[in-house]
Amino acid sequence: MQSQNIIDGIVIRRATRNDEKELAELAYVAYFDRFFNDEVTNKYGASLKVYPELIPDEKKDTGQSRSTFADYWRKAMKNLDNPQRPFLCFVAEAQTSQGPKIVGFRKGYAAPLEPDEYALYEKENTRRAILRRKYAWQGRVSEEDLRPINLPAYEKIAGSSSLYIAPQYKRMRIGERLIRRYAKEVLRLGFEGMVTSCYVKNDSRYFLQAMGGDYFIPCPIPCTYRKADRSLDVCSIDGLMCLWDKPALQKLAGARAFDYARNAGRLSGFGR
């Protein structure tokens, strides 16, 4: 019997193979609502329509359509029990009049950070060190963040990716509970850091900052889409990657509550 965290009728639990279709559908619905729903993107920004190849067209089954999400989850869920590169996924499940319903998830692979992603942080650390020396020699103060990045060894940094909540269940702090549970598992597996990324124009950056994410640097985010000939291709969008070093990860995993009050002004615009 796996442990469950139940608050206000919302259960946080591990995903199982039986959740595949429900997760694929939720991923599509939540992603579409955040990035292709004009009502949402006109209010909060971050529309992905600036990348025409990504726009879902269900009739033609092109772009980031339902089938691309179904393909992803079909492959990912096969790795739930993979000891070499396990796929981690925690879901938020609500009790409804129709029965249990998955209303959110946090996912990623419990595997060391990719070398090219680690190299981005190494390069950024070098750049910051050069600029710190430059400004010190000139007696100037930089307005740019030039702090040294506290990097664990690359094999000790776990990746994490999407966190999505069903539109009607936003602003219930489900996202906070999911990311904390994911962090606990990452630490249990022996990692000492965690990274994640977000679209550069997406306000989820503020949520990640509120959850202790730090050291934001530019990075490309690969997005799979289906072309007219039914083949899959990848489009890279402008993104930001952030890091939790060991103290930040431990705090994320261990804190029972987070001080949202000081971030209320920034966090009021989105519903992670």
Side-chain angles (χ1 to χ4, degrees):
M1 181 74 178
Q2 61 180 328
S3 61
Q4 296 180 333
N5 178 10
I6 306 175
I7 300 176
D8 297 331
I10 304 291
V11 178
I12 304 299
R13 64 167 176 81
R14 283 181 179 273
T16 70
R17 292 285 188 92
N18 293 333
D19 297 324
E20 179 188 315
K21 291 183 179 180
E22 192 173 359
L23 281 167
E25 178 64 12
L26 173 59
Y28 174 77
V29 169
Y31 189 84
F32 185 94
D33 182 71
R34 183 60 189 88
F35 295 110
F36 297 104
N37 181 342
D38 291 339
E39 183 178 346
V40 173
T41 58
N42 287 342
K43 184 175 182 179
Y44 299 124
S47 173
L48 283 175
K49 288 185 177 180
V50 294
Y51 300 93
E53 60 268 54
L54 298 183
I55 300 175
D57 186 326
E58 290 304 320
K59 290 183 179 180
K60 297 180 180 178
D61 190 19
T62 57
Q64 290 191 307
S65 59
R66 272 185 170 86
S67 68
T68 63
F69 284 82
D71 288 346
Y72 170 86
W73 284 92
R74 188 178 305 112
K75 295 175 183 177
M77 296 297 271
K78 291 179 181 178
N79 288 300
L80 277 178
D81 304 315
N82 183 344
Q84 302 301 319
R85 192 171 182 262
F87 178 67
L88 289 185
C89 183
F90 291 93
V91 304
E93 187 176 74
Q95 298 299 320
T96 73
S97 57
Q98 289 78 40
K101 177 182 178 181
I102 296 177
V103 298
F105 65 85
R106 175 68 169 178
K107 68 175 177 68
Y109 280 88
L113 187 64
E114 295 292 336
D116 58 340
E117 293 178 317
Y118 192 79
L120 290 175
Y121 270 113
E122 289 184 311
K123 183 177 180 180
E124 176 64 12
N125 245 347
T126 300
R127 187 188 74 87
R128 292 186 180 195
I130 292 172
L131 288 178
R132 285 197 303 273
R133 291 193 295 268
K134 174 183 176 181
Y135 283 116
W137 181 77
Q138 294 176 343
R140 296 166 53 197
V141 176
S142 172
E143 296 181 358
E144 183 182 358
D145 183 5
L146 297 179
R147 293 171 299 151
I149 300 172
N150 182 24
L151 274 178
Y154 87 90
E155 68 272 12
K156 289 293 186 179
I157 305 177
S160 59
S161 53
S162 305
L163 187 159
Y164 282 106
I165 309 298
Q168 63 272 36
Y169 282 85
K170 290 184 176 181
R171 297 174 182 82
M172 294 176 63
R173 298 180 72 168
I174 296 172
E176 175 189 350
R177 292 170 59 197
L178 284 167
I179 196 171
R180 290 193 188 283
R181 181 64 187 87
Y182 191 97
K184 288 180 181 179
E185 184 65 11
V186 164
L187 282 172
R188 188 189 71 79
L189 292 170
F191 291 97
E192 297 178 358
M194 181 175 75
V195 298
T196 197
S197 57
C198 63
Y199 179 34
V200 70
K201 296 181 180 180
N202 192 354
D203 50 14
S204 64
R205 171 177 182 168
Y206 302 121
F207 168 76
L208 298 175
Q209 286 178 316
M211 293 291 102
D214 202 355
Y215 307 114
F216 285 79
I217 65 172
C219 75
I221 300 177
C223 294
T224 301
Y225 68 95
R226 195 177 301 283
K227 299 194 295 185
D229 65 2
R230 303 285 299 159
S231 65
L232 296 176
D233 204 346
V234 176
C235 169
S236 290
I237 69 174
D238 295 329
L240 292 172
M241 184 164 57
C242 73
L243 168 75
W244 284 263
D245 59 16
K246 189 172 183 178
L249 188 60
Q250 290 174 328
K251 182 176 180 180
L252 177 64
R256 292 186 177 181
F258 191 81
D259 181 10
Y260 267 77
R262 60 186 174 140
N263 297 289
R266 293 186 299 169
L267 293 174
S268 60
F270 64 97
R272 290 295 190 197

